[in-house]
Amino acid sequence: MKTAFDILYANNPHKAEAFLDETRARKPLFILTIATTETGKITGISAAGKYPEFTDYTPPADAELLLLGKCKCINGVPVTPDGIPTPALITMSALRLADIPVLVASGGLRVKPQIPFLDLGGNPGRDIRTGNAVDNVAEVISRATLAGEQLAKAADYIVVGESIPGGTTTALGVLSAMGVHAEGKVSSSMPENPHDLKSEAVKAGLAAAGESFGSLAGDPVRAVSCVGDPMMAAFAGLVIGAAGLVPVLMAGGTQMTAVLAVVNGLKPDVLCNVAVGTTKWVVNDRSSDICGIVREIADVPVLAADLDFGGSRFEGLRAYEKGIVKEGVGAGGAAIAAMAATEGAVTKELLLGEIERNYALLMGMK
Amino acid sequence: MKTAFDILYANNPHKAEAFLDETRARKPLFILTIATTETGKITGISAAGKYPEFTDYTPPADAELLLLGKCKCINGVPVTPDGIPTPALITMSALRLADIPVLVASGGLRVKPQIPFLDLGGNPGRDIRTGNAVDNVAEVISRATLAGEQLAKAADYIVVGESIPGGTTTALGVLSAMGVHAEGKVSSSMPENPHDLKSEAVKAGLAAAGESFGSLAGDPVRAVSCVGDPMMAAFAGLVIGAAGLVPVLMAGGTQMTAVLAVVNGLKPDVLCNVAVGTTKWVVNDRSSDICGIVREIADVPVLAADLDFGGSRFEGLRAYEKGIVKEGVGAGGAAIAAMAATEGAVTKELLLGEIERNYALLMGMK
């Protein structure tokens, strides 16, 4: 793994370096794609909220945190059942250090954020076990493509992140439907990755839809409609629209591979302008394999922010080193973009300091 | 009136020229702010639709035209009762010639456009004669301010336009409430300006709200809430947020003076970064006085696109020279931005040719 700044190249160092060269000293627009789904409420699937209904508030709360520096639709910030804070803290800190602008796009929400957001015509997702998880996928992709094109004309390049609870289960769903071997390879926000639960939900969803492993290899729109989530439609459209014009960093963990598969199925020629940006915690995770899944889809570079919270004075942040949370809200990609935009002036140490400062402020600690 | 490219300086040539110098050869983001209001349905007030209920479709249809090159929520394009086409045709042609990106922001809509749009938390407006025309004004201004700040970080500068039927009546409402003498001075999309109808509606609205001329000089939020429209809240917030960082061209006719009054009341220091961009048809209109109203509010330059449709092969376009429509959907500002961005390569002749081409295409003519 060759490194530049505090960034690791996780798979293809030449392509990763070329992507970084294209984006260094340039200012991106960060787009956070948010959505909610009933899939995130399946018991044991997600750590995005203590209670299933809380998962409806996590994405809008994350979005509010990025734009306002605090949440409005909930008190405090989203935390896991163990009290570990949302990775939106990392994203917010990175974007502020590098003065990177943020726009929020909704794929479909049960609870609306109290900030401006781009409406792409989507609805909240259903449980994938119904086999009929997402409405209106083609239309949302098409509207998001339009938005991606327009925004790419205004910004140097685009970073897209996501916040949707249960997103690795729906990722496994779409990857399986499209014939990508991802079972046992998607990541988890929890220390014990509930691979079996995810596989069961996906199998039930595919069966309910009358589909099977690989049967939708040529139909990404139907794959998302049956066993995906509404974030994917919005995210894939933004990538398709923007990457035709400028570089696009897909900021996220193994969920990004499902979006990659969708983009690859609809508009493969834009992938030469695309990289995945994630965290060290994802690429080093032994219970998942982001580079392995990517390799099955397309030759897209994976970059990872070499974050290290081991020396943090807060236990809630040190927990990230134990594999809790790992990624989300585009944390890794935002860190990479902040380091690249400032040509390394934003280091992992500086970033941790800012994250600790914001964490203490938001938690009312000294 | 000193000129540069095909642009007229309508009031303060030094400030107008300085604004143009700051924006020439730079690429703006064009934001179209759309909203609907029951005020636009008062008989005789607006030419935005043949039938009152059609005014709910005009703003979303205008927005679709800019982004898609065609309308989705209606057949054809919006036309006046006499069949004169929407000024969105001018805007669309100008933006496309200069490859200027577009984003649509909603202040509050009865009919949603079938394209991506920024939701700012607003509702459609009521008839100003109720004295209670707009909900949620402070919150919409605050969300739009956030959006304006973020978008200003991504773009070289910002052009904001509007589409809302009945907008000069609500403009007269807010100007009157704030003590600006605008009676008989706001423009009209119709050849005969129904000044009396507008004044009557405004008087009724002020009375219903328990307010009078100038009683809300210090409270722009309440002025918009009582006798304004939802476009104003969104538009003013975008200007406040963006003009703190980059130049902002307020693209529109006399409606812009009401927004100026709101911005001047809330954040006057940003006005040094603001100009109004309109059309020759507005600044030359004898039934209105844009520069006179601006002068009462602040020393902001007014630029006008020197468009001339007199030689057009289409009667529907030649009608603009008779004072029909005149402005709207940011037509004048979009033309100015296209001329400035291309350093004059987009001339008024080139623009008319493109407008005629698009008009013929959309109307199915040869």
Side-chain angles (χ1 to χ4, degrees):
Chain A
M1 284 193 197
K2 200 182 157 199
T3 70
F5 312 139
D6 287 326
I7 300 169
L8 308 168
Y9 302 149
N11 59 353
N12 184 331
H14 293 294
K15 280 203 166 187
E17 191 166 25
F19 187 89
L20 203 57
D21 281 344
E22 269 197 290
T23 54
R24 65 194 292 166
R26 299 180 73 188
K27 184 175 285 194
L29 171 66
F30 183 93
I31 309 176
L32 181 67
T33 310
I34 58 176
T36 52
T37 158
E38 297 303 304
T39 307
K41 298 178 185 171
I42 300 174
T43 311
I45 286 261
S46 172
K50 269 193 197 204
Y51 311 104
E53 58 273 24
F54 192 82
T55 64
D56 289 336
Y57 291 84
T58 305
D62 282 336
E64 289 168 355
L65 193 57
L66 295 199
L67 266 175
L68 300 169
K70 64 181 181 195
C71 302
K72 281 186 100 167
C73 68
I74 62 168
N75 290 321
V77 302
V79 292
T80 71
D82 301 324
I84 312 306
T86 172
L89 260 179
I90 304 174
T91 316
M92 165 199 165
S93 304
L95 298 178
R96 291 188 168 210
L97 280 176
D99 197 30
I100 292 171
V102 187
L103 209 61
V104 172
S106 162
L109 291 166
R110 200 169 285 280
V111 175
K112 303 253 157 67
Q114 295 173 37
I115 48 165
F117 66 93
L118 214 48
D119 185 320
L120 298 170
N123 298 326
R126 285 178 289 274
D127 188 324
I128 57 167
R129 292 174 300 186
T130 62
N132 176 26
V134 191
D135 296 331
N136 225 11
V137 173
E139 179 65 19
V140 172
I141 291 178
S142 137
R143 292 192 195 181
T145 300
L146 261 175
E149 283 168 359
Q150 299 300 321
L151 295 168
K153 288 186 196 176
D156 287 350
Y157 75 104
I158 303 284
V159 182
V160 191
E162 59 69 38
S163 174
I164 182 166
T168 54
T169 303
T170 48
L172 180 63
V174 166
L175 291 164
S176 301
M178 294 186 70
V180 178
H181 296 88
E183 226 175 326
K185 294 183 185 170
V186 294
S187 183
S188 171
S189 53
M190 294 180 286
E192 292 298 312
N193 195 329
H195 284 305
D196 291 347
L197 272 177
K198 295 178 187 179
S199 296
E200 273 167 37
V202 168
K203 275 186 190 122
L206 287 173
E211 301 293 344
S212 57
F213 180 88
S215 68
L216 295 172
D219 194 347
V221 169
R222 184 160 155 76
V224 174
S225 305
C226 292
V227 289
D229 66 52
M231 174 280 290
M232 294 170 173
F235 201 124
L238 288 167
V239 173
I240 290 169
L245 299 165
V246 295
V248 174
L249 185 62
M250 295 173 56
T254 51
Q255 286 167 267
M256 293 302 101
T257 62
V259 180
L260 261 187
V262 171
V263 173
N264 188 50
L266 294 173
K267 194 89 178 168
D269 51 306
V270 302
L271 289 180
C272 59
N273 238 351
V274 166
V276 172
T278 189
T279 64
K280 177 200 78 175
W281 304 303
V282 168
V283 297
N284 288 350
D285 177 29
R286 290 178 183 198
S287 78
S288 68
D289 182 8
I290 189 170
C291 291
I293 311 177
V294 167
R295 199 181 312 125
E296 275 204 56
I297 300 164
D299 186 19
V300 164
V302 177
L303 295 81
D306 186 21
L307 304 176
D308 187 348
F309 290 179
S312 174
R313 58 195 175 102
F314 295 116
E315 199 185 329
L317 295 176
R318 286 197 301 274
Y320 274 74
E321 294 299 324
K322 294 180 197 143
I324 303 175
V325 181
K326 297 187 187 75
E327 170 63 289
V329 198
I336 290 167
M339 293 168 182
T342 61
E343 300 212 71
V346 172
T347 59
K348 61 181 173 182
E349 291 80 15
L350 190 75
L351 182 54
L352 176 58
E354 176 72 9
I355 293 164
E356 288 181 323
R357 200 180 67 82
N358 288 321
Y359 183 52
L361 261 174
L362 286 160
M363 295 309 200
M365 300 179 293
K366 291 287 160 76
Chain B
M1 284 194 197
K2 202 182 156 200
T3 69
F5 311 139
D6 287 325
I7 300 170
L8 308 169
Y9 302 149
N11 60 352
N12 184 331
H14 293 293
K15 281 203 166 189
E17 191 165 28
F19 187 90
L20 203 58
D21 280 344
E22 269 198 289
T23 54
R24 66 193 292 167
R26 299 181 74 188
K27 185 176 283 194
L29 172 66
F30 183 94
I31 309 177
L32 180 68
T33 310
I34 57 176
T36 52
T37 157
E38 296 303 303
T39 306
K41 298 178 185 171
I42 300 174
T43 310
I45 286 259
S46 173
K50 268 192 200 211
Y51 310 106
E53 58 273 25
F54 192 81
T55 64
D56 288 336
Y57 290 84
T58 304
D62 281 338
E64 290 168 354
L65 192 57
L66 294 199
L67 266 175
L68 300 169
K70 64 182 180 194
C71 301
K72 281 186 102 167
C73 68
I74 61 166
N75 290 322
V77 302
V79 293
T80 70
D82 301 322
I84 312 305
T86 172
L89 259 179
I90 303 174
T91 316
M92 166 199 164
S93 303
L95 298 178
R96 291 188 167 209
L97 280 176
D99 197 29
I100 292 170
V102 187
L103 208 61
V104 172
S106 163
L109 291 166
R110 202 168 283 281
V111 175
K112 304 252 155 67
Q114 295 174 37
I115 48 166
F117 66 93
L118 214 48
D119 186 318
L120 298 169
N123 298 327
R126 285 179 289 274
D127 188 323
I128 58 167
R129 292 173 300 185
T130 62
N132 176 27
V134 190
D135 296 331
N136 224 12
V137 172
E139 178 65 20
V140 172
I141 290 178
S142 137
R143 292 192 195 180
T145 301
L146 262 175
E149 283 168 358
Q150 299 300 321
L151 294 168
K153 289 186 195 175
D156 287 350
Y157 75 105
I158 303 285
V159 183
V160 191
E162 59 68 39
S163 173
I164 182 165
T168 55
T169 303
T170 49
L172 179 63
V174 167
L175 291 164
S176 301
M178 295 186 70
V180 178
H181 296 89
E183 226 175 327
K185 294 184 185 171
V186 294
S187 183
S188 170
S189 54
M190 294 180 286
E192 291 299 313
N193 195 331
H195 284 305
D196 291 348
L197 271 179
K198 295 177 187 180
S199 296
E200 274 168 35
V202 167
K203 276 185 190 127
L206 286 173
E211 301 293 345
S212 58
F213 181 87
S215 68
L216 294 173
D219 194 347
V221 168
R222 182 159 157 78
V224 174
S225 304
C226 292
V227 289
D229 67 52
M231 173 281 289
M232 294 170 174
F235 201 123
L238 288 168
V239 173
I240 290 168
L245 299 165
V246 296
V248 174
L249 185 62
M250 294 173 57
T254 51
Q255 286 166 267
M256 293 302 101
T257 63
V259 180
L260 260 186
V262 171
V263 173
N264 188 50
L266 294 173
K267 193 92 179 165
D269 52 305
V270 303
L271 288 181
C272 60
N273 239 350
V274 166
V276 172
T278 189
T279 63
K280 177 199 78 176
W281 304 303
V282 168
V283 296
N284 289 350
D285 178 29
R286 289 178 183 201
S287 77
S288 68
D289 182 8
I290 188 169
C291 291
I293 311 176
V294 167
R295 198 180 313 125
E296 274 204 58
I297 301 164
D299 185 20
V300 164
V302 177
L303 294 82
D306 186 21
L307 303 176
D308 188 347
F309 290 179
S312 174
R313 59 196 175 101
F314 294 116
E315 200 185 329
L317 295 176
R318 285 197 302 274
Y320 273 74
E321 293 299 324
K322 294 180 199 144
I324 303 176
V325 181
K326 297 187 187 76
E327 171 62 288
V329 199
I336 291 168
M339 292 168 183
T342 60
E343 301 212 70
V346 172
T347 59
K348 60 181 174 182
E349 291 81 15
L350 190 75
L351 182 53
L352 177 57
E354 177 71 9
I355 293 165
E356 288 182 322
R357 201 179 66 82
N358 287 322
Y359 183 52
L361 261 173
L362 285 160
M363 296 307 201
M365 300 179 294
K366 290 287 161 74

Short mmCIF file of all heavy atoms in Angstrom, two decimals, chain B residues 15 131 174:
data_model
loop_
_atom_site.label_atom_id
_atom_site.label_comp_id
_atom_site.label_asym_id
_atom_site.label_seq_id
_atom_site.Cartn_x
_atom_site.Cartn_y
_atom_site.Cartn_z
N LYS B 15 -20.86 51.24 -11.03
CA LYS B 15 -21.08 50.01 -10.26
C LYS B 15 -21.46 48.86 -11.18
O LYS B 15 -21.09 47.71 -10.95
CB LYS B 15 -22.19 50.23 -9.23
CG LYS B 15 -21.73 50.96 -7.99
CD LYS B 15 -22.67 50.64 -6.83
CE LYS B 15 -22.06 51.07 -5.51
NZ LYS B 15 -22.83 50.60 -4.36
N GLY B 131 -54.16 38.74 4.06
CA GLY B 131 -53.22 39.33 5.01
C GLY B 131 -52.33 38.29 5.68
O GLY B 131 -51.59 38.60 6.61
N VAL B 174 -45.16 43.77 -0.54
CA VAL B 174 -44.02 43.84 0.38
C VAL B 174 -43.39 45.23 0.36
O VAL B 174 -43.04 45.78 1.41
CB VAL B 174 -42.99 42.74 0.04
CG1 VAL B 174 -41.67 42.97 0.75
CG2 VAL B 174 -43.56 41.37 0.43
#
